Structures are given as structure tokens and as C-alpha cells.
Amino acid sequence: MTRRRVLIGGGLVGIIVAVALAWWLGSPLFRDTVVDEAFPFELPEPAAMETMTEEEKQEMVADFEAAMPTLMEIEALAEADRMVVQERVMEAAAAMPDTVMDEPMPAMPEPEATPTPQPEATPAPQPEAAPQPELLREGQFRGADDFHRGSGQAMIFRTPDDKLVLRLTDFMVTNGPALSVLLSSSPAPASSQQLGDYIDVGALKGNIGNQNYEIPAGTDLSTYNSVVIYCVPFRVVFATATLPA
């Protein structure tokens, strides 16, 4: 009887140990490990940034970009970790100095004047006015939310030499990491899932000011219904400008 109790007791202990071991080995499959490390970039105080030279600001921006995780590193993170990193990167980027652009409209080719002999009494012919680009589509920017703000105008022109140019005027958007300018088939995408078909026409040149982007030749503009300022690594929409047909 005693031997039987010992065997039963030993069996129960073995079962308990096995269950505990299985839980220990299996539980990491069902639990996220949340990262709570600081973003490895120390942003100077606003007062200190105001006194920085342009060279010092450029160095700070370079340090920030060097501290940015790569796209592969971001995609390898668990969802909870990615949200923590995204929040801290976005806050640091928003506080960075503005990059101001002031590009003129693309230069139009001047018409060549062909001099023709005229009698002295006849006034010389005046050169023809330079041809102007044709405005095809336009829309107003609006921010995606209270943090990601945007304003200004998006205009698509066809130039006299038959190029398509996207021009942003009186433009402003919240600073962010790795922002790109997209043409999207969606009229007002609020997330990466709503972008639909899109083309990337280039990295954003500045978060403030007038700037131009060449649209690839042969692009069917009827396919695209908005201009989107988009953070590529974190797949976040910053601002959109709907382009009415």
C-alpha cells in the first residue's frame, strides 16, 4: 500500500514538473517582449537649436538619420515594439529644424526670334511671349490627424515640352523620417491600407516651401486622385491633397 502511494505521489510530481516545463518552454510563443529603450538620439533643447549654425543643424540631422532603424529592423519588430519606436522617432523628427524650399516653376524654353529685314519705318517685331505650363489637376493639402499636420496646394502641370510636373506651393507638413511624395489612386487615403495603386515621385525635398517633382513620362493621371506625403519606414500618412477630376 505504501509503495503504491509512493508511486502515485511520484507520478503526480512528475506530471507537475512536466506541465511547468512545458509552460516555461511554450509561453514565449504567446507573450510579446515589449521594448522600452530610449530612441538612441538626444535632441537638444529648443533654445539650443535656435542658436545653432546651419552646419551644426546639418550635423544634427545626419546624427538623427544615422540613429534611425532600418526598414528591415522595423519590419522585424513585434507590433508593440514597433509602435514604441515609431512614437519616439516621430516625436524627435517633429522637433527637428524645418527644411525650407523655394523652387521656382520649371524654366520654360524661350522662343527663338528670327530677325527679318524690315523697312526703317516699320517697327521691329516683338518676341512672342514664352509658352506657359497647362494646369491639369489641383488640390489642397490637409493633415492626417492632430499630430501630422499639412497645408498648401498641390498642382500638376504639363509643360510646353510635354513633361508632367507636380508642384507644391505654400506647402507645410510636420517634419518626419523618410517622407516621400506619392500619387495615389485613392482620393483621401488615411492609412497605408487605403493607398491603393500609387507611384512614388521622390523623397520630400523640404517640409516647408515651394517645390517641384517630375512625374514619370506616360503616367495616366486619370488613375491617380490624390497627392500623399507618406512616411515609408513606418507606413504612416502625414498629409493628403485630393485631386478632383
Side-chain angles (χ1 to χ4, degrees), residues 34-41 43 64 68-69 74 77-96 145 147-148 174-177 231 233-236 238:
V34 178
V35 173
D36 194 22
E37 296 178 351
F39 178 55
F41 175 80
L43 193 69
F64 171 78
M68 269 280 296
I74 293 170
L77 292 173
E79 181 66 22
D81 298 348
R82 185 161 54 248
M83 293 304 294
V84 170
V85 173
Q86 175 179 321
E87 180 179 356
R88 292 176 180 172
V89 171
M90 293 293 183
E91 288 177 352
M96 296 292 282
D145 51 49
F147 182 80
H148 304 102
T174 302
N175 252 335
C231 174
F234 291 106
R235 301 173 183 170
V236 175
F238 271 53

Side-chain angles (χ1 to χ4, degrees), residues 10-62:
L12 289 174
V13 171
I15 291 172
I16 292 171
V17 171
V19 170
L21 182 61
W23 181 87
W24 176 257
L25 294 174
S27 61
L29 300 176
F30 304 101
R31 294 180 298 164
D32 290 330
T33 301
V34 178
V35 173
D36 194 22
E37 296 178 351
F39 178 55
F41 175 80
E42 185 175 351
L43 193 69
E45 294 295 325
M49 284 198 288
E50 289 180 1
T51 62
M52 281 183 173
T53 65
E54 285 303 314
E55 183 177 355
E56 289 172 333
K57 289 179 180 178
Q58 290 177 5
E59 290 178 358
M60 180 177 63
V61 171

Side-chain angles (χ1 to χ4, degrees), residues 96-152:
M96 296 292 282
D98 294 321
T99 301
V100 181
M101 296 295 296
D102 192 18
E103 290 185 331
M105 280 290 295
M108 298 297 106
E110 293 289 341
E112 295 183 4
T114 303
T116 303
Q118 297 288 336
E120 292 184 4
T122 304
Q126 297 298 316
E128 296 180 5
Q132 297 301 309
E134 176 189 3
L135 177 61
L136 303 177
R137 309 276 295 276
E138 63 178 323
Q140 296 291 327
F141 277 104
R142 60 181 181 83
D145 51 49
D146 290 340
F147 182 80
H148 304 102
R149 298 177 180 274
S151 61

